[in-house]
């Protein structure tokens, strides 16, 4: 297992590190949750974060985003120390975050929800306009004047992803974006995730469907009890059913 930690097959010399998590320890009160996690997020690379329930995936994302403070360790953005920056500042460094459990304003329309999130990317990019997001989610087009509370769970998830895209991020973080959704909607979300990747946006994906995660990412990291125990090439890991069974209980 440990030799895989040294595997860097998907990182070529030209890849640029956007964010680097270094030896992070995070606590909830006295509970020591993250125990020395390091992870690199590079330009254009899709990373899958796997692990059984309660292993610390969401906590890692929340620590990177600044919703939870790291007690030890560093978060770097373009080599600058941004450890424990607040979420709004982290978002401005180019991260679009689709949290577990959505977060759509119920009293605003689809259009308002999307437009209130609009902003240029780190280098002034305005690639993801309202129209492009509407084209990406054809289903939302028909619902653009509906309020958040009139949407189905799937439509709310689409708005949540759309809102993150409207910030023109260089990294999209999707935590359980397909959770509890009907199969057709799940399919639609994975199609959009592929489109985001194709557009050159980096992704960090957490999802219960490990096969889909591995199919939609270049690199995979597996967490166990607050530590990263495997960091490897996604396709390579997919080809190791015994190891997956041991790590994920699948
Ligand atoms: N707000 C909190 N306060 C205290 N403990 C928490 C809190 N949130 C999570 N935990 C604990 O931290 C550990 C890691 O939880 P986390 O949500 O990061 O796991 P996860 O890998 O995202 O799990 P899941 O697959 O269920 O989403 C778990 O033991 C969980 O019970
Ligand atoms: Mg989680």
């Amino acid at each position: 297992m440990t030799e895989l930690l040294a595997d860097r097959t998907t990182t070529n010399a030209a890849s640029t590190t956007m964010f680097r998590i270094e030896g992070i320890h995070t606590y909830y009160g006295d509970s020591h949750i993250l125990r020395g996690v390091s992870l690199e997020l590079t330009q254009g690379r899709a990373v899958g974060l796997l692990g059984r329930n309660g292993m610390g995936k969401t906590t890692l994302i929340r620590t990177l985003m600044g919703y939870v403070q790291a007690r030890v360790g560093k978060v770097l953005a373009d080599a600058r120390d941004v450890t424990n920056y607040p979420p709004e500042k982290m978002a401005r460094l180019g991260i679009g975050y689709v949290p577990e459990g959505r977060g759509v304003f119920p009293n605003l329309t689809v259009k308002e929800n999307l437009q209130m999130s609009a902003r240029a990317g780190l280098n002034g990019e305005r690639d993801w306009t309202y129209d492009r997001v509407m084209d990406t989610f054809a289903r939302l087009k028909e619902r653009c004047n509906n309020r958040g509370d009139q949407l189905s769970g799937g439509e709310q998830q689409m708005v949540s992803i759309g809102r993150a895209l409207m910030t023109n991020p260089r990294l999209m973080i999707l935590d359980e974006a397909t959770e509890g959704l009907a199969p057709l909607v799940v399919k639609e979300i994975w199609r959009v995730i592929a489109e985001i990747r194709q557009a050159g946006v980096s992704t960090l994906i957490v999802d219960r469907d490990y096969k889909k995660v591995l199919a939609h990412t270049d690199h995979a990291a597996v967490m166990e009890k607050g530590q990263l125990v495997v960091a490897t090439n996604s396709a390579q890991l997919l080809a190791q059913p015994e190891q997956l069974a041991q790590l994920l209980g699948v």
Side-chain angles (χ1 to χ4, degrees), residues 51-59 61-62 100 175-176 179 206 208:
R52 281 183 283 229
N53 289 349
M55 291 301 175
K57 304 178 296 293
T58 298
T59 305
I61 290 168
R62 288 173 56 80
E100 251 180 332
D175 193 355
E176 314 271 12
E179 167 124 56
V206 176
R208 268 166 230 287

Side-chain angles (χ1 to χ4, degrees), residues 10 27 37 45 53 56 79 117 119 129 171-172 208 223-224:
T10 54
Y27 293 70
V37 177
R45 186 166 75 159
N53 289 349
S117 309
R119 76 161 168 250
T129 58
L171 169 69
M172 276 284 279
R208 268 166 230 287
M223 293 194 77
E224 211 164 56

Side-chain angles (χ1 to χ4, degrees), residues 6 18 38 58 65 68 76 78 107 132 139 154 162 193 199 208 217 224 231 239:
M18 299 181 299
S38 299
T58 298
M65 288 307 295
V68 193
L76 304 177
D78 308 308
N107 55 330
R132 183 167 176 194
R139 196 161 159 156
I193 289 173
R208 268 166 230 287
T217 53
E224 211 164 56

